[in-house]
Amino acid sequence: MIFRGLRRRSGDRLPPWLPVLIGLLLACAAFAVLGDDDVTDDIDWLNMGMGLFGGLALFLFGMEQMADALKTVAGDRMKDILARLTTNRVMGALTGAFVTAVINSSSVTTVLLVGFISAGLMSLAQSVGVIMGANIGSTFTAQLIAFKVTKAALVMIGIGFLMMFVGKRERIQQYGAMIMGLGLVFFGMSVMSDAMAPLRTYEPFLDVMEEMENPLIGIAVAAVFTGLIQSSAATTGIVIVMASQGLVNLPTGIALAFGANIGTCATAALAAIGKPREAVRAAVVHVLFNVAGVLVWVGFVDQLAEFVRWMSPQYPDLSGKERLAAEVPRQIANAHTMFNVANTLLFLSFTGQFARLAEWLVPDKPLEEEDLVVRAKYLDDVLLTTPSLALDRVRLETLHMGERVQEMMERIMPAILSGNKEQLHDIERMDDDVDMLHAQIIDYLGKISRLTLTETQTTELIRLMEAVNELENIGDVIETNLIVLGHERIDEGVSISQPTREVLTNFHYAVNRAVECAVQAVAQNNQLAARTVISMKQEINRIAESAAAHQAQRLVAEEPNRIRTYTIEVDIIEKLKRIYYFAKRMAKTVDSEESVEEA
């Protein structure tokens, strides 16, 4: 039941942190079996393991719940903000910090940037500042966790539950999910903290934590753990929980936070595998910046710790582990934020150099090495955690598919009227690309449909699916009908007169314009372009009637093969009218004021 629910939330993919939870439970069981008898008498390993396992599950699930609700509420706005406010490197960094703090994922921010770069809306150098700012935004969760509001956790869960199940408006329900998720985060922290209490006197564990005071060991451990669960915020949160029991001192906490910064690069690196060069370069910039930042600071852990102690709240009336438990959680959160802010300020002047280094490390492929198989350019599974952004990528991919169909449209009429069989075969092969893109888009929409969607997002998904199907129908008409007519013209030696060519070319031009506007309407959600297509109905009918009248005159002319020529020419007109019909249906998926009545 639980696994089915997790699959539904993550599009048939179990969360990456689930194996870690299972591993933690097995590790706790191993401690129970291998621990020495005297210690086992003092510590109930089974209860502690269950507490850690359950608390971590609540903590991670609460983070996911909170992030999902935030993305649903603010996803569209974040995309617009990111697109508009990256005019210079400083604004880019501030924007990256704000967007990442809201959607709680630097990886999603990076994927959005790749889309802007691919679409020519942003250069790689401009995106570097945003990637740097995203690291600052990723510290927001740690700051939130460091507030000691665990006593209010159950109240927040209760309030969030009421808003989710009593609220009638969808936005209220989403805010309820966000509050409930935050409550689960704090409640999970409380459960883990209570479970860890016996470790305060367990010498083998304290010896292990002393080893972590070596920055290199702490960085390596945190980097591996973060890479496994793919969340630096979760790693930092767990470190803060341990600090709340006095198990982690500040230098160790800083080293672990450094490691979390490196480990989070694994998500971006994995997401870039098999993606266009722009995606790989953005991931490389992310890795270079995070690794360089840690290398700069690794020798100054003690100095950073002293400065953070000075600026953070202190409790001199406490001593020993009680003082560590009171002071260190906030100090770790502050150190994490200061480290990322300082790195951004330090490297912000070198965005151009980072971009050039990434381009040097990931050069463009030579033309002969480019993949012959067409692939989706914009669809990315990372964005499935944010349905509004995933749907926006479907629009971009529809434009990519539409460009192929438009190229087929532009080439088909000259090939029918005077082309050879090779030209017709080239166009026929282009439809294979259209079919492959159509399959990839439909598969991606299927993944989105398994997520939790708002009513607006569900409506948009259905409209996009209809639009993509209509676009694929246009490609099929060209491949299965118009290309066949071109072959018949060649095989039967039919010669089309110059006046008839002009009539058909003019008709083709009008239909081609309708297809172009329909693709633009869907890709940009442009209602003006959609209404332009729909309003062309009278023009298309008028041109079709004029062409039919011309064909009737040609039928009585004394010419060889006039009956077969007439049949082919009339069929061309009918197929062009059918293409306009599909273009108009595409446009109607965008224009909400139009009825869904067919032509």
Side-chain angles (χ1 to χ4, degrees):
M1 183 76 161
I2 294 172
F3 288 151
R4 283 202 300 270
L6 287 170
R7 285 193 182 99
R8 281 195 297 271
R9 291 179 61 80
S10 54
D12 282 343
R13 295 174 295 113
L14 290 176
W17 41 261
L18 185 60
V20 180
L21 287 177
I22 297 171
L24 178 61
L25 184 60
L26 293 174
C28 291
F31 266 122
V33 173
L34 300 175
D36 99 27
D37 294 337
D38 294 334
V39 174
T40 305
D41 289 339
D42 296 333
I43 298 178
D44 188 339
W45 287 100
L46 182 60
N47 281 341
M48 188 179 74
M50 289 298 182
L52 287 173
F53 181 82
L56 186 56
L58 287 171
F59 177 84
L60 293 173
F61 181 75
M63 286 187 62
E64 186 181 5
Q65 175 99 348
M66 180 177 64
D68 285 349
L70 276 170
K71 290 169 188 175
T72 302
V73 170
D76 286 321
R77 297 178 194 171
M78 295 305 101
K79 174 181 68 70
D80 294 337
I81 289 171
L82 196 60
R84 294 175 184 173
L85 299 183
T86 52
T87 51
N88 59 62
R89 62 187 70 177
V90 176
M91 284 303 300
L94 293 174
T95 304
F98 175 71
V99 170
T100 305
V102 172
I103 62 179
N104 195 31
S105 175
S106 58
S107 301
V108 170
T109 304
T110 303
V111 171
L112 286 174
L113 293 175
V114 171
F116 293 141
I117 295 168
S118 301
L121 302 175
M122 183 185 295
S123 67
L124 180 63
Q126 286 176 308
S127 74
V128 175
V130 184
I131 292 172
M132 292 178 176
N135 271 26
I136 298 175
S138 66
T139 68
F140 173 76
T141 304
Q143 288 289 347
L144 199 61
I145 292 170
F147 286 106
K148 297 181 179 180
V149 292
T150 51
K151 291 181 180 179
L154 291 176
V155 175
M156 296 172 72
I157 293 172
I159 293 173
F161 178 84
L162 283 174
M163 292 175 67
M164 287 176 65
F165 290 93
V166 176
K168 294 182 179 179
R169 294 180 59 187
E170 194 168 23
R171 185 166 290 270
I172 293 176
Q173 293 173 356
Q174 293 298 335
Y175 280 122
M178 182 179 66
I179 294 171
M180 186 176 177
L182 187 57
L184 287 170
V185 167
F186 289 126
F187 186 61
M189 286 176 57
S190 177
V191 173
M192 283 192 291
S193 181
D194 292 342
M196 286 180 180
L199 294 176
R200 299 173 80 173
T201 57
Y202 181 43
E203 289 300 328
F205 182 81
L206 296 177
D207 292 341
V208 170
M209 295 313 298
E210 282 183 13
E211 292 292 328
M212 296 290 179
E213 291 185 14
N214 182 329
L216 297 180
I217 295 176
I219 290 169
V221 169
V224 171
F225 184 78
T226 304
L228 288 173
I229 66 173
Q230 298 184 27
S231 173
S232 61
T235 301
T236 309
I238 293 168
V239 172
I240 290 173
V241 171
M242 295 172 67
S244 69
Q245 281 294 333
L247 299 172
V248 174
N249 60 29
L250 181 55
T252 301
I254 291 174
L256 293 171
F258 285 179
N261 260 45
I262 293 178
T264 194
C265 297
T267 306
L270 290 172
I273 295 175
K275 297 296 189 299
R277 310 302 268 181
E278 293 88 350
V280 179
R281 287 170 183 159
V284 166
V285 168
H286 195 191
V287 173
L288 289 173
F289 173 62
N290 285 19
V291 172
V294 170
L295 291 176
V296 167
W297 284 94
V298 71
F300 301 97
V301 171
D302 292 335
Q303 289 81 353
L304 178 59
E306 284 301 319
F307 182 75
V308 169
R309 287 192 188 100
W310 171 77
M311 64 165 290
S312 302
Q314 298 185 21
Y315 300 91
D317 52 319
L318 301 176
S319 62
K321 282 188 168 49
E322 285 73 21
R323 184 169 183 177
L324 285 177
E327 294 180 350
V328 175
R330 169 56 56 196
Q331 291 171 354
I332 292 174
N334 289 344
H336 191 206
T337 300
M338 286 192 57
F339 160 71
N340 283 290
V341 170
N343 280 342
T344 299
L345 294 175
L346 181 63
F347 291 116
L348 198 56
S349 300
F350 302 99
T351 54
Q353 287 82 348
F354 272 100
R356 285 194 290 274
L357 180 57
E359 289 169 351
W360 179 73
L361 291 172
V362 187
D364 290 324
K365 287 183 180 179
L367 291 178
E368 62 271 14
E369 293 183 19
E370 291 289 346
D371 292 334
L372 296 177
V373 178
V374 66
R375 301 181 189 278
K377 291 172 61 177
Y378 301 104
L379 306 183
D380 200 307
D381 285 353
V382 173
L383 290 177
L384 289 173
T385 58
T386 314
S388 61
L389 301 181
L391 288 169
D392 187 69
R393 284 313 178 86
V394 173
R395 291 190 181 280
L396 284 175
E397 199 59 52
T398 302
L399 176 61
H400 182 206
M401 178 180 170
E403 289 170 350
R404 298 293 177 119
V405 173
Q406 286 174 243
E407 186 177 354
M408 292 175 68
M409 277 292 296
E410 290 170 1
R411 294 175 58 178
I412 188 61
M413 189 54 64
I416 291 176
L417 297 179
S418 57
N420 54 39
K421 284 184 173 288
E422 184 58 36
Q423 290 173 321
L424 291 169
H425 284 309
D426 286 343
I427 300 171
E428 192 172 9
R429 284 190 289 268
M430 290 175 66
D431 188 62
D432 294 337
D433 292 347
V434 172
D435 290 340
M436 290 186 66
L437 287 174
H438 173 260
Q440 292 175 62
I441 294 172
I442 293 299
D443 179 64
Y444 193 74
L445 285 170
K447 293 178 181 178
I448 297 174
S449 70
R450 291 191 287 271
L451 304 174
T452 303
L453 304 178
T454 65
E455 291 182 12
T456 301
Q457 290 167 351
T458 301
T459 301
E460 184 178 1
L461 183 143
I462 293 171
R463 288 181 173 179
L464 283 171
M465 190 171 292
E466 291 174 353
V468 172
N469 287 336
E470 302 303 349
L471 191 57
E472 200 259 348
N473 287 336
I474 293 174
D476 286 345
V477 170
I478 295 173
E479 181 203 22
T480 60
N481 299 123
L482 290 177
I483 287 176
V484 170
L485 292 173
H487 283 296
E488 289 180 1
R489 191 264 305 168
I490 294 171
D491 293 340
E492 299 181 22
V494 171
S495 177
I496 299 177
S497 67
Q498 186 60 36
T500 301
R501 289 188 184 193
E502 291 179 2
V503 171
L504 294 177
T505 300
N506 290 336
F507 192 19
H508 169 258
Y509 174 79
V511 174
N512 193 33
R513 184 161 59 90
V515 172
E516 184 178 352
C517 288
V519 171
Q520 181 185 2
V522 173
Q524 301 176 0
N525 199 21
N526 187 331
Q527 292 203 3
L528 180 60
R531 289 169 189 165
T532 299
V533 177
I534 295 167
S535 66
M536 290 177 66
K537 179 179 179 180
Q538 291 183 346
E539 177 186 354
I540 294 294
N541 287 339
R542 179 181 56 79
I543 296 175
E545 290 171 2
S546 175
H550 173 80
Q551 296 309 116
Q553 293 176 357
R554 298 291 302 168
L555 181 61
V556 298
E558 290 295 332
E559 291 183 0
N561 290 334
R562 68 180 185 276
I563 301 298
R564 189 66 191 120
T565 302
Y566 171 80
T567 303
I568 291 176
E569 291 169 355
V570 168
D571 281 347
I572 292 173
I573 293 172
E574 288 302 314
K575 301 316 175 197
L576 289 175
K577 285 176 66 177
R578 185 153 182 79
I579 288 174
Y580 170 72
Y581 165 76
F582 289 129
K584 183 157 66 71
R585 284 175 60 108
M586 278 183 67
K588 284 183 176 181
T589 66
V590 176
D591 188 1
S592 57
E593 294 183 7
E594 276 290 325
S595 66
V596 292
E597 218 175 283
E598 295 185 356

